[in-house]
Amino acid sequence: MKKSVTLGLPLAAVATGALYVSHYLFNIAFKRVNYVPETSKEKQKYADQYYAYVNWFKNIPQETWYLHENNSEKRLVATFIQHPDHLKKTVVISHGYKGNRETMANYAKMFYDMGFNILMPDDRAHGESSGKYINFGWLDRLDYLSWINKLIDIKGEDEKILLFGVSMGGATMEMLSGENLPTQVKAIIADCGYSSIKEEMTYLLREQYHLPEYPIEPLVSTINRRRLGYYLGDVSSIEQLKKNRRPILFIHGGKDTYVPVKMAYENYRATKAPKQLWIVKNATHAESFWYNPAAYQARVNAFLKTYF
């Protein structure tokens, strides 16, 4: 009996420690934060350019749109910018992890200069939108479907729609691609999106925390199931892209160590729709635009001339 107790204590301690670490990591990764974290060191050199775009965004005439406006627990907020040329085309822009619509000002300006109207939502648990937990695009994809339908209701059946996202936003658009999209959605651009939440988390556990997949990932996944209603393994950009029927451009930095570039190839192989893949050789995570804005816009333009 004493031997059993002696052996049981270390096992209990290990289990308790794993559970504590899992709750800690879940809160770090999934819990809402009401500020935008500082950017990585390699992108701080772009700060002056970034704030010039933010200044443009803050001063351009715009409207605030809502979903579930009168429900404080479900309310979602977006900015709509009408282009003065009224060319009947809108880009829906999805922001990155712990960002908000303002952090996508540079992309908004690029598309605005290309003649697009702009619709820029804040995802659940980001910016001005409600929500306690970040869902890494899986539930957000359905919100974007609602935003698209609202856009069509307001702007008309003849509106042509482009979907665009970066990082978590890129994965969100990849996940959205597998849904039954309105015919007004003509094309998708996904910049540095991950192939699945589980694969991305497992990668970051190993690279950033030096922790094994087991037992941490299954425990975090179980916590997520209780909080948000799904296991991490249930969510896959790859599986959604297999159902995609829209032309899609994948963009990824060749030196991305946050979402590894192999995920771009996995996503590219998954879709059978018309597709292009552009690896920006020397760019890190979400740096492809900043590395060479003119080249970025040219590549986007070339894709749109073919498919939009």
Side-chain angles (χ1 to χ4, degrees), residues 118-180:
I118 315 295
L119 180 60
M120 307 167 69
D122 280 343
D123 290 356
R124 299 187 191 194
H126 292 81
E128 294 184 73
S129 290
S130 300
K132 295 179 180 179
Y133 298 106
I134 298 167
N135 66 84
F136 287 86
W138 184 238
L139 304 179
D140 295 319
R141 84 193 194 285
L142 302 178
D143 297 332
Y144 277 91
L145 193 56
S146 296
W147 284 120
I148 291 166
N149 289 327
K150 183 181 182 77
L151 175 66
I152 295 168
D153 288 342
I154 293 174
K155 303 306 294 180
E157 297 285 333
D158 57 344
E159 194 78 6
K160 294 173 64 178
I161 299 171
L162 170 67
L163 305 180
F164 175 85
V166 178
S167 190
M168 186 182 78
T172 301
M173 292 313 187
E174 291 163 355
M175 294 175 194
L176 177 57
S177 75
E179 300 303 315
N180 185 21

Short mmCIF file of all heavy atoms in Angstrom, two decimals, residues 118-180:
data_model
loop_
_atom_site.label_atom_id
_atom_site.label_comp_id
_atom_site.label_asym_id
_atom_site.label_seq_id
_atom_site.Cartn_x
_atom_site.Cartn_y
_atom_site.Cartn_z
N ILE A 118 -14.06 49.35 -48.90
CA ILE A 118 -13.39 48.58 -47.86
C ILE A 118 -14.38 48.23 -46.75
O ILE A 118 -15.07 49.11 -46.23
CB ILE A 118 -12.22 49.38 -47.23
CG1 ILE A 118 -11.36 50.06 -48.31
CG2 ILE A 118 -11.41 48.51 -46.31
CD1 ILE A 118 -10.63 49.11 -49.22
N LEU A 119 -14.42 46.96 -46.36
CA LEU A 119 -15.16 46.54 -45.17
C LEU A 119 -14.17 45.86 -44.24
O LEU A 119 -13.57 44.84 -44.60
CB LEU A 119 -16.30 45.59 -45.52
CG LEU A 119 -17.13 45.10 -44.32
CD1 LEU A 119 -17.78 46.27 -43.58
CD2 LEU A 119 -18.19 44.09 -44.77
N MET A 120 -13.99 46.43 -43.04
CA MET A 120 -12.96 45.97 -42.10
C MET A 120 -13.59 45.69 -40.74
O MET A 120 -13.78 46.60 -39.93
CB MET A 120 -11.87 47.04 -41.94
CG MET A 120 -11.25 47.51 -43.25
SD MET A 120 -10.26 49.01 -43.03
CE MET A 120 -8.88 48.38 -42.08
N PRO A 121 -13.93 44.44 -40.44
CA PRO A 121 -14.50 44.11 -39.13
C PRO A 121 -13.43 43.96 -38.05
O PRO A 121 -12.26 43.68 -38.33
CB PRO A 121 -15.20 42.77 -39.38
CG PRO A 121 -15.29 42.61 -40.86
CD PRO A 121 -14.08 43.33 -41.39
N ASP A 122 -13.86 44.13 -36.81
CA ASP A 122 -13.12 43.64 -35.64
C ASP A 122 -13.68 42.26 -35.32
O ASP A 122 -14.89 42.09 -35.15
CB ASP A 122 -13.34 44.55 -34.42
CG ASP A 122 -12.48 45.80 -34.45
OD1 ASP A 122 -11.50 45.84 -35.23
OD2 ASP A 122 -12.79 46.74 -33.70
N ASP A 123 -12.81 41.25 -35.23
CA ASP A 123 -13.26 39.89 -34.91
C ASP A 123 -13.74 39.80 -33.46
O ASP A 123 -13.51 40.70 -32.65
CB ASP A 123 -12.12 38.90 -35.11
CG ASP A 123 -11.76 38.72 -36.57
OD1 ASP A 123 -12.45 39.31 -37.44
OD2 ASP A 123 -10.79 38.00 -36.85
N ARG A 124 -14.37 38.70 -33.14
CA ARG A 124 -14.77 38.45 -31.76
C ARG A 124 -13.56 38.58 -30.83
O ARG A 124 -12.46 38.13 -31.15
CB ARG A 124 -15.33 37.03 -31.60
CG ARG A 124 -16.56 36.73 -32.43
CD ARG A 124 -17.11 35.37 -32.08
NE ARG A 124 -18.13 34.94 -33.05
CZ ARG A 124 -18.97 33.94 -32.87
NH1 ARG A 124 -18.90 33.23 -31.74
NH2 ARG A 124 -19.85 33.60 -33.79
N ALA A 125 -13.77 39.22 -29.70
CA ALA A 125 -12.73 39.40 -28.68
C ALA A 125 -11.56 40.26 -29.16
O ALA A 125 -10.45 40.16 -28.65
CB ALA A 125 -12.23 38.06 -28.16
N HIS A 126 -11.82 41.10 -30.14
CA HIS A 126 -10.81 42.03 -30.65
C HIS A 126 -11.44 43.41 -30.83
O HIS A 126 -12.62 43.53 -31.15
CB HIS A 126 -10.27 41.58 -32.01
CG HIS A 126 -9.45 40.34 -31.98
ND1 HIS A 126 -10.01 39.08 -31.95
CD2 HIS A 126 -8.10 40.16 -31.99
CE1 HIS A 126 -9.04 38.17 -31.95
NE2 HIS A 126 -7.88 38.79 -31.97
N GLY A 127 -10.63 44.44 -30.64
CA GLY A 127 -11.07 45.80 -30.91
C GLY A 127 -12.34 46.16 -30.18
O GLY A 127 -12.49 45.95 -28.98
N GLU A 128 -13.31 46.68 -30.92
CA GLU A 128 -14.58 47.13 -30.34
C GLU A 128 -15.64 46.03 -30.32
O GLU A 128 -16.75 46.26 -29.82
CB GLU A 128 -15.11 48.34 -31.10
CG GLU A 128 -14.25 49.58 -30.97
CD GLU A 128 -14.88 50.78 -31.67
OE1 GLU A 128 -15.88 51.31 -31.14
OE2 GLU A 128 -14.39 51.16 -32.75
N SER A 129 -15.34 44.87 -30.87
CA SER A 129 -16.32 43.79 -30.88
C SER A 129 -16.36 43.06 -29.54
O SER A 129 -15.38 43.06 -28.79
CB SER A 129 -16.00 42.79 -31.99
OG SER A 129 -16.24 43.36 -33.27
N SER A 130 -17.50 42.45 -29.24
CA SER A 130 -17.67 41.72 -28.00
C SER A 130 -16.96 40.38 -28.06
O SER A 130 -16.51 39.93 -29.11
CB SER A 130 -19.16 41.50 -27.73
OG SER A 130 -19.84 42.74 -27.63
N GLY A 131 -16.89 39.71 -26.91
CA GLY A 131 -16.34 38.37 -26.84
C GLY A 131 -15.24 38.25 -25.80
O GLY A 131 -14.42 39.16 -25.66
N LYS A 132 -15.23 37.12 -25.11
CA LYS A 132 -14.24 36.88 -24.06
C LYS A 132 -13.01 36.13 -24.57
O LYS A 132 -11.92 36.26 -24.02
CB LYS A 132 -14.87 36.07 -22.92
CG LYS A 132 -15.97 36.80 -22.16
CD LYS A 132 -16.54 35.91 -21.06
CE LYS A 132 -17.64 36.61 -20.29
NZ LYS A 132 -18.20 35.72 -19.22
N TYR A 133 -13.22 35.33 -25.63
CA TYR A 133 -12.14 34.44 -26.06
C TYR A 133 -11.89 34.54 -27.56
O TYR A 133 -12.84 34.64 -28.36
CB TYR A 133 -12.47 32.98 -25.71
CG TYR A 133 -12.62 32.74 -24.24
CD1 TYR A 133 -13.88 32.55 -23.66
CD2 TYR A 133 -11.51 32.73 -23.40
CE1 TYR A 133 -14.02 32.33 -22.30
CE2 TYR A 133 -11.65 32.52 -22.03
CZ TYR A 133 -12.90 32.32 -21.50
OH TYR A 133 -13.04 32.12 -20.14
N ILE A 134 -10.64 34.49 -27.94
CA ILE A 134 -10.22 34.47 -29.34
C ILE A 134 -10.44 33.06 -29.88
O ILE A 134 -10.08 32.08 -29.23
CB ILE A 134 -8.73 34.87 -29.45
CG1 ILE A 134 -8.53 36.30 -28.93
CG2 ILE A 134 -8.22 34.72 -30.88
CD1 ILE A 134 -7.08 36.67 -28.71
N ASN A 135 -11.04 32.95 -31.05
CA ASN A 135 -11.36 31.62 -31.58
C ASN A 135 -10.53 31.24 -32.80
O ASN A 135 -10.79 30.22 -33.44
CB ASN A 135 -12.86 31.51 -31.89
CG ASN A 135 -13.29 32.43 -33.02
OD1 ASN A 135 -13.16 32.09 -34.20
ND2 ASN A 135 -13.80 33.61 -32.68
N PHE A 136 -9.53 32.04 -33.13
CA PHE A 136 -8.57 31.73 -34.19
C PHE A 136 -9.22 31.50 -35.56
O PHE A 136 -8.73 30.74 -36.37
CB PHE A 136 -7.70 30.53 -33.80
CG PHE A 136 -6.69 30.88 -32.73
CD1 PHE A 136 -7.04 30.83 -31.38
CD2 PHE A 136 -5.41 31.27 -33.06
CE1 PHE A 136 -6.13 31.17 -30.40
CE2 PHE A 136 -4.49 31.61 -32.08
CZ PHE A 136 -4.84 31.56 -30.75
N GLY A 137 -10.34 32.19 -35.78
CA GLY A 137 -10.95 32.21 -37.10
C GLY A 137 -12.08 31.24 -37.33
O GLY A 137 -12.86 31.40 -38.27
N TRP A 138 -12.21 30.23 -36.48
CA TRP A 138 -13.20 29.19 -36.74
C TRP A 138 -14.63 29.70 -36.60
O TRP A 138 -15.48 29.47 -37.48
CB TRP A 138 -12.97 27.99 -35.84
CG TRP A 138 -13.88 26.85 -36.14
CD1 TRP A 138 -14.76 26.25 -35.29
CD2 TRP A 138 -14.00 26.15 -37.39
NE1 TRP A 138 -15.42 25.23 -35.92
CE2 TRP A 138 -14.98 25.14 -37.22
CE3 TRP A 138 -13.40 26.28 -38.65
CZ2 TRP A 138 -15.36 24.27 -38.25
CZ3 TRP A 138 -13.77 25.42 -39.67
CH2 TRP A 138 -14.73 24.43 -39.46
N LEU A 139 -14.94 30.38 -35.52
CA LEU A 139 -16.26 30.99 -35.37
C LEU A 139 -16.34 32.30 -36.14
O LEU A 139 -17.41 32.67 -36.65
CB LEU A 139 -16.57 31.22 -33.89
CG LEU A 139 -16.50 29.98 -33.00
CD1 LEU A 139 -16.80 30.33 -31.55
CD2 LEU A 139 -17.44 28.89 -33.49
N ASP A 140 -15.22 32.98 -36.27
CA ASP A 140 -15.19 34.23 -37.02
C ASP A 140 -15.62 34.03 -38.47
O ASP A 140 -16.22 34.91 -39.08
CB ASP A 140 -13.77 34.83 -37.03
CG ASP A 140 -13.30 35.25 -35.65
OD1 ASP A 140 -14.11 35.81 -34.88
OD2 ASP A 140 -12.13 35.00 -35.32
N ARG A 141 -15.31 32.86 -39.05
CA ARG A 141 -15.64 32.64 -40.46
C ARG A 141 -17.14 32.81 -40.69
O ARG A 141 -17.57 33.31 -41.74
CB ARG A 141 -15.17 31.25 -40.90
CG ARG A 141 -16.12 30.11 -40.60
CD ARG A 141 -15.51 28.74 -40.76
NE ARG A 141 -16.51 27.68 -40.79
CZ ARG A 141 -17.15 27.24 -39.72
NH1 ARG A 141 -16.94 27.76 -38.51
NH2 ARG A 141 -18.05 26.26 -39.85
N LEU A 142 -17.96 32.39 -39.72
CA LEU A 142 -19.41 32.53 -39.85
C LEU A 142 -19.83 33.98 -39.70
O LEU A 142 -20.79 34.42 -40.33
CB LEU A 142 -20.11 31.63 -38.84
CG LEU A 142 -19.76 30.14 -38.95
CD1 LEU A 142 -20.47 29.33 -37.87
CD2 LEU A 142 -20.09 29.60 -40.34
N ASP A 143 -19.11 34.72 -38.85
CA ASP A 143 -19.38 36.15 -38.73
C ASP A 143 -19.09 36.86 -40.05
O ASP A 143 -19.84 37.75 -40.47
CB ASP A 143 -18.54 36.77 -37.62
CG ASP A 143 -18.87 36.20 -36.25
OD1 ASP A 143 -20.03 35.77 -36.05
OD2 ASP A 143 -17.97 36.18 -35.38
N TYR A 144 -18.01 36.47 -40.70
CA TYR A 144 -17.68 37.09 -41.99
C TYR A 144 -18.73 36.76 -43.04
O TYR A 144 -19.03 37.59 -43.91
CB TYR A 144 -16.28 36.66 -42.46
CG TYR A 144 -15.20 37.50 -41.83
CD1 TYR A 144 -14.61 37.12 -40.62
CD2 TYR A 144 -14.79 38.71 -42.41
CE1 TYR A 144 -13.64 37.90 -40.03
CE2 TYR A 144 -13.82 39.49 -41.81
CZ TYR A 144 -13.25 39.08 -40.62
OH TYR A 144 -12.28 39.87 -40.02
N LEU A 145 -19.31 35.58 -42.97
CA LEU A 145 -20.40 35.26 -43.88
C LEU A 145 -21.59 36.21 -43.63
O LEU A 145 -22.23 36.68 -44.59
CB LEU A 145 -20.82 33.80 -43.67
CG LEU A 145 -21.74 33.18 -44.71
CD1 LEU A 145 -21.15 33.27 -46.11
CD2 LEU A 145 -22.03 31.73 -44.35
N SER A 146 -21.84 36.53 -42.37
CA SER A 146 -22.90 37.49 -42.04
C SER A 146 -22.55 38.89 -42.54
O SER A 146 -23.41 39.62 -43.06
CB SER A 146 -23.14 37.52 -40.53
OG SER A 146 -23.62 36.27 -40.07
N TRP A 147 -21.27 39.28 -42.39
CA TRP A 147 -20.84 40.58 -42.90
C TRP A 147 -21.02 40.65 -44.43
O TRP A 147 -21.45 41.68 -44.97
CB TRP A 147 -19.38 40.85 -42.55
CG TRP A 147 -19.11 41.24 -41.14
CD1 TRP A 147 -18.31 40.58 -40.23
CD2 TRP A 147 -19.59 42.40 -40.44
NE1 TRP A 147 -18.29 41.25 -39.03
CE2 TRP A 147 -19.06 42.37 -39.12
CE3 TRP A 147 -20.42 43.46 -40.80
CZ2 TRP A 147 -19.32 43.36 -38.18
CZ3 TRP A 147 -20.71 44.45 -39.86
CH2 TRP A 147 -20.16 44.39 -38.58
N ILE A 148 -20.69 39.57 -45.12
CA ILE A 148 -20.83 39.54 -46.58
C ILE A 148 -22.30 39.70 -46.97
O ILE A 148 -22.63 40.48 -47.89
CB ILE A 148 -20.25 38.23 -47.14
CG1 ILE A 148 -18.73 38.22 -46.99
CG2 ILE A 148 -20.64 38.03 -48.61
CD1 ILE A 148 -18.11 36.85 -47.21
N ASN A 149 -23.18 39.00 -46.28
CA ASN A 149 -24.60 39.12 -46.59
C ASN A 149 -25.13 40.51 -46.29
O ASN A 149 -25.96 41.05 -47.04
CB ASN A 149 -25.39 38.06 -45.80
CG ASN A 149 -25.14 36.66 -46.33
OD1 ASN A 149 -24.94 36.46 -47.52
ND2 ASN A 149 -25.16 35.67 -45.44
N LYS A 150 -24.64 41.12 -45.22
CA LYS A 150 -25.04 42.50 -44.90
C LYS A 150 -24.55 43.45 -45.99
O LYS A 150 -25.27 44.37 -46.41
CB LYS A 150 -24.46 42.91 -43.54
CG LYS A 150 -24.86 44.31 -43.07
CD LYS A 150 -24.23 44.64 -41.73
CE LYS A 150 -24.67 46.01 -41.22
NZ LYS A 150 -26.03 45.96 -40.64
N LEU A 151 -23.32 43.23 -46.43
CA LEU A 151 -22.75 44.05 -47.50
C LEU A 151 -23.60 43.98 -48.76
O LEU A 151 -23.90 45.01 -49.40
CB LEU A 151 -21.33 43.60 -47.78
CG LEU A 151 -20.59 44.25 -48.96
CD1 LEU A 151 -20.34 45.72 -48.68
CD2 LEU A 151 -19.27 43.53 -49.21
N ILE A 152 -24.01 42.78 -49.13
CA ILE A 152 -24.84 42.61 -50.33
C ILE A 152 -26.20 43.28 -50.15
O ILE A 152 -26.72 43.93 -51.08
CB ILE A 152 -24.99 41.12 -50.66
CG1 ILE A 152 -23.63 40.53 -51.05
CG2 ILE A 152 -26.01 40.90 -51.78
CD1 ILE A 152 -23.61 39.01 -51.11
N ASP A 153 -26.77 43.15 -48.94
CA ASP A 153 -28.06 43.79 -48.67
C ASP A 153 -27.98 45.30 -48.83
O ASP A 153 -28.90 45.95 -49.35
CB ASP A 153 -28.53 43.45 -47.26
CG ASP A 153 -29.00 42.01 -47.12
OD1 ASP A 153 -29.28 41.37 -48.16
OD2 ASP A 153 -29.07 41.52 -45.97
N ILE A 154 -26.86 45.89 -48.40
CA ILE A 154 -26.73 47.34 -48.43
C ILE A 154 -26.27 47.86 -49.79
O ILE A 154 -26.80 48.83 -50.31
CB ILE A 154 -25.75 47.81 -47.32
CG1 ILE A 154 -26.35 47.53 -45.94
CG2 ILE A 154 -25.41 49.30 -47.47
CD1 ILE A 154 -25.41 47.82 -44.78
N LYS A 155 -25.28 47.17 -50.38
CA LYS A 155 -24.67 47.68 -51.61
C LYS A 155 -25.30 47.12 -52.88
O LYS A 155 -25.07 47.65 -53.97
CB LYS A 155 -23.17 47.38 -51.62
CG LYS A 155 -22.41 47.95 -50.43
CD LYS A 155 -22.64 49.44 -50.26
CE LYS A 155 -22.06 50.25 -51.41
NZ LYS A 155 -22.30 51.70 -51.21
N GLY A 156 -26.05 46.04 -52.75
CA GLY A 156 -26.76 45.52 -53.91
C GLY A 156 -26.22 44.20 -54.41
O GLY A 156 -25.09 43.81 -54.14
N GLU A 157 -27.06 43.51 -55.19
CA GLU A 157 -26.72 42.19 -55.70
C GLU A 157 -25.59 42.22 -56.71
O GLU A 157 -24.98 41.18 -57.00
CB GLU A 157 -27.96 41.56 -56.35
CG GLU A 157 -29.12 41.32 -55.41
CD GLU A 157 -28.89 40.12 -54.51
OE1 GLU A 157 -28.14 39.22 -54.93
OE2 GLU A 157 -29.46 40.08 -53.40
N ASP A 158 -25.30 43.38 -57.28
CA ASP A 158 -24.27 43.48 -58.31
C ASP A 158 -22.88 43.82 -57.75
O ASP A 158 -21.94 44.07 -58.50
CB ASP A 158 -24.66 44.50 -59.38
CG ASP A 158 -24.93 45.89 -58.79
OD1 ASP A 158 -25.11 46.00 -57.55
OD2 ASP A 158 -24.98 46.86 -59.58
N GLU A 159 -22.74 43.82 -56.41
CA GLU A 159 -21.44 44.10 -55.79
C GLU A 159 -20.51 42.90 -55.97
O GLU A 159 -20.90 41.75 -55.72
CB GLU A 159 -21.61 44.41 -54.30
CG GLU A 159 -20.39 45.02 -53.65
CD GLU A 159 -20.25 46.51 -53.96
OE1 GLU A 159 -21.17 47.10 -54.59
OE2 GLU A 159 -19.23 47.08 -53.57
N LYS A 160 -19.29 43.15 -56.43
CA LYS A 160 -18.27 42.09 -56.53
C LYS A 160 -17.40 42.14 -55.28
O LYS A 160 -16.96 43.22 -54.87
CB LYS A 160 -17.42 42.29 -57.78
CG LYS A 160 -18.17 42.11 -59.08
CD LYS A 160 -17.30 42.49 -60.27
CE LYS A 160 -16.10 41.58 -60.41
NZ LYS A 160 -15.28 41.92 -61.61
N ILE A 161 -17.13 40.98 -54.68
CA ILE A 161 -16.48 40.93 -53.37
C ILE A 161 -15.19 40.13 -53.44
O ILE A 161 -15.15 39.02 -53.98
CB ILE A 161 -17.43 40.33 -52.32
CG1 ILE A 161 -18.69 41.20 -52.19
CG2 ILE A 161 -16.73 40.20 -50.97
CD1 ILE A 161 -19.78 40.59 -51.34
N LEU A 162 -14.14 40.71 -52.85
CA LEU A 162 -12.85 40.06 -52.67
C LEU A 162 -12.66 39.81 -51.18
O LEU A 162 -12.92 40.70 -50.36
CB LEU A 162 -11.73 40.95 -53.20
CG LEU A 162 -10.28 40.53 -52.88
CD1 LEU A 162 -9.93 39.23 -53.59
CD2 LEU A 162 -9.31 41.65 -53.27
N LEU A 163 -12.19 38.63 -50.81
CA LEU A 163 -11.86 38.32 -49.42
C LEU A 163 -10.35 38.37 -49.24
O LEU A 163 -9.60 37.81 -50.03
CB LEU A 163 -12.38 36.93 -49.04
CG LEU A 163 -13.86 36.66 -49.26
CD1 LEU A 163 -14.23 35.25 -48.84
CD2 LEU A 163 -14.72 37.69 -48.52
N PHE A 164 -9.91 39.04 -48.16
CA PHE A 164 -8.48 39.22 -47.92
C PHE A 164 -8.21 39.13 -46.43
O PHE A 164 -8.94 39.69 -45.62
CB PHE A 164 -8.02 40.59 -48.45
CG PHE A 164 -6.59 40.92 -48.14
CD1 PHE A 164 -5.57 40.48 -48.97
CD2 PHE A 164 -6.25 41.64 -47.00
CE1 PHE A 164 -4.24 40.77 -48.68
CE2 PHE A 164 -4.93 41.93 -46.70
CZ PHE A 164 -3.92 41.49 -47.55
N GLY A 165 -7.12 38.43 -46.06
CA GLY A 165 -6.74 38.37 -44.65
C GLY A 165 -5.27 38.07 -44.50
O GLY A 165 -4.62 37.52 -45.39
N VAL A 166 -4.74 38.46 -43.34
CA VAL A 166 -3.32 38.26 -43.03
C VAL A 166 -3.19 37.52 -41.70
O VAL A 166 -3.87 37.85 -40.72
CB VAL A 166 -2.57 39.60 -42.96
CG1 VAL A 166 -1.10 39.38 -42.60
CG2 VAL A 166 -2.68 40.34 -44.29
N SER A 167 -2.31 36.52 -41.65
CA SER A 167 -2.03 35.73 -40.45
C SER A 167 -3.31 35.02 -39.99
O SER A 167 -3.87 34.26 -40.76
CB SER A 167 -1.43 36.62 -39.36
OG SER A 167 -0.94 35.85 -38.28
N MET A 168 -3.79 35.26 -38.79
CA MET A 168 -5.06 34.66 -38.38
C MET A 168 -6.16 35.04 -39.36
O MET A 168 -7.05 34.24 -39.64
CB MET A 168 -5.43 35.11 -36.97
CG MET A 168 -6.66 34.43 -36.39
SD MET A 168 -7.11 35.02 -34.75
CE MET A 168 -7.91 36.59 -35.18
N GLY A 169 -6.09 36.27 -39.87
CA GLY A 169 -7.07 36.70 -40.88
C GLY A 169 -6.97 35.91 -42.16
O GLY A 169 -7.98 35.62 -42.81
N GLY A 170 -5.75 35.55 -42.55
CA GLY A 170 -5.58 34.71 -43.72
C GLY A 170 -6.19 33.34 -43.51
O GLY A 170 -6.89 32.81 -44.38
N ALA A 171 -5.95 32.76 -42.33
CA ALA A 171 -6.55 31.47 -42.01
C ALA A 171 -8.07 31.57 -41.92
O ALA A 171 -8.79 30.65 -42.33
CB ALA A 171 -5.98 30.94 -40.69
N THR A 172 -8.57 32.69 -41.40
CA THR A 172 -10.02 32.89 -41.33
C THR A 172 -10.64 32.83 -42.71
O THR A 172 -11.67 32.19 -42.94
CB THR A 172 -10.35 34.23 -40.66
OG1 THR A 172 -9.78 34.26 -39.35
CG2 THR A 172 -11.84 34.45 -40.57
N MET A 173 -10.00 33.50 -43.69
CA MET A 173 -10.53 33.49 -45.04
C MET A 173 -10.39 32.12 -45.69
O MET A 173 -11.23 31.71 -46.49
CB MET A 173 -9.83 34.56 -45.88
CG MET A 173 -10.16 35.99 -45.45
SD MET A 173 -11.96 36.23 -45.21
CE MET A 173 -12.04 37.99 -44.94
N GLU A 174 -9.33 31.40 -45.34
CA GLU A 174 -9.19 30.03 -45.83
C GLU A 174 -10.30 29.14 -45.27
O GLU A 174 -10.87 28.31 -45.98
CB GLU A 174 -7.82 29.49 -45.45
CG GLU A 174 -6.68 30.16 -46.20
CD GLU A 174 -5.32 29.94 -45.56
OE1 GLU A 174 -5.24 29.34 -44.47
OE2 GLU A 174 -4.33 30.38 -46.16
N MET A 175 -10.61 29.31 -43.98
CA MET A 175 -11.70 28.55 -43.37
C MET A 175 -13.05 28.94 -43.97
O MET A 175 -13.91 28.10 -44.20
CB MET A 175 -11.70 28.77 -41.87
CG MET A 175 -10.47 28.21 -41.16
SD MET A 175 -10.49 28.65 -39.40
CE MET A 175 -8.80 28.26 -38.95
N LEU A 176 -13.22 30.23 -44.23
CA LEU A 176 -14.45 30.72 -44.84
C LEU A 176 -14.63 30.18 -46.25
O LEU A 176 -15.76 29.99 -46.71
CB LEU A 176 -14.43 32.26 -44.86
CG LEU A 176 -15.59 32.98 -45.52
CD1 LEU A 176 -16.93 32.60 -44.88
CD2 LEU A 176 -15.37 34.50 -45.43
N SER A 177 -13.54 29.89 -46.93
CA SER A 177 -13.60 29.46 -48.33
C SER A 177 -14.39 28.18 -48.52
O SER A 177 -14.92 27.92 -49.60
CB SER A 177 -12.19 29.27 -48.90
OG SER A 177 -11.59 28.08 -48.40
N GLY A 178 -14.48 27.36 -47.47
CA GLY A 178 -15.20 26.10 -47.58
C GLY A 178 -16.68 26.20 -47.33
O GLY A 178 -17.40 25.19 -47.41
N GLU A 179 -17.16 27.38 -46.99
CA GLU A 179 -18.59 27.58 -46.75
C GLU A 179 -19.32 27.85 -48.07
O GLU A 179 -18.72 28.07 -49.12
CB GLU A 179 -18.80 28.74 -45.77
CG GLU A 179 -18.14 28.53 -44.43
CD GLU A 179 -18.60 27.26 -43.72
OE1 GLU A 179 -19.82 26.99 -43.69
OE2 GLU A 179 -17.73 26.53 -43.21
N ASN A 180 -20.63 27.88 -47.99
CA ASN A 180 -21.47 28.17 -49.16
C ASN A 180 -21.52 29.68 -49.38
O ASN A 180 -22.39 30.37 -48.87
CB ASN A 180 -22.87 27.61 -48.95
CG ASN A 180 -23.75 27.76 -50.17
OD1 ASN A 180 -23.25 27.92 -51.29
ND2 ASN A 180 -25.05 27.72 -49.97
#
